[in-house]
Amino acid sequence: MVGELQPLDVTRETTPRKYSDGGGLYLIVAGATSRSWSYRYWFDCKGRWHGLGSLQDVSLKDARLKRDTARLLVKGEVVS
């Protein structure tokens, strides 16, 4: 699944806000040096956030893979 964010854009963003990549994946920028990945999903009619890691530790590609894994866990499907 190809998202809206590009790897170069991700490293350059410093304006505090949530940047959507699609499919519930967000880059959350809290400041010039504070950036992290999060997956937004719904469970029991409530919105939830699942942290996927810091931008320093998790690349855009890895964040997309982690989002897909988290999506399967939320659905209750077995992940091997």
Side-chain angles (χ1 to χ4, degrees), residues 23-73:
L25 179 63
Y26 288 85
L27 173 65
I28 301 175
V29 178
T33 59
S34 177
R35 295 173 287 192
S36 61
W37 296 106
S38 192
Y39 170 57
R40 176 132 170 108
Y41 65 96
W42 294 88
F43 186 76
D44 287 338
C45 300
K46 294 182 182 179
R48 310 277 178 155
W49 290 91
H50 176 74
L52 302 175
S54 167
L55 181 63
Q56 292 178 341
D57 300 329
V58 181
S59 68
L60 175 58
K61 180 181 177 182
D62 291 340
R64 288 175 178 161
L65 292 172
K66 285 185 170 196
R67 182 243 355 244
D68 294 341
T69 302
R71 180 182 291 143
L72 292 174
L73 289 172

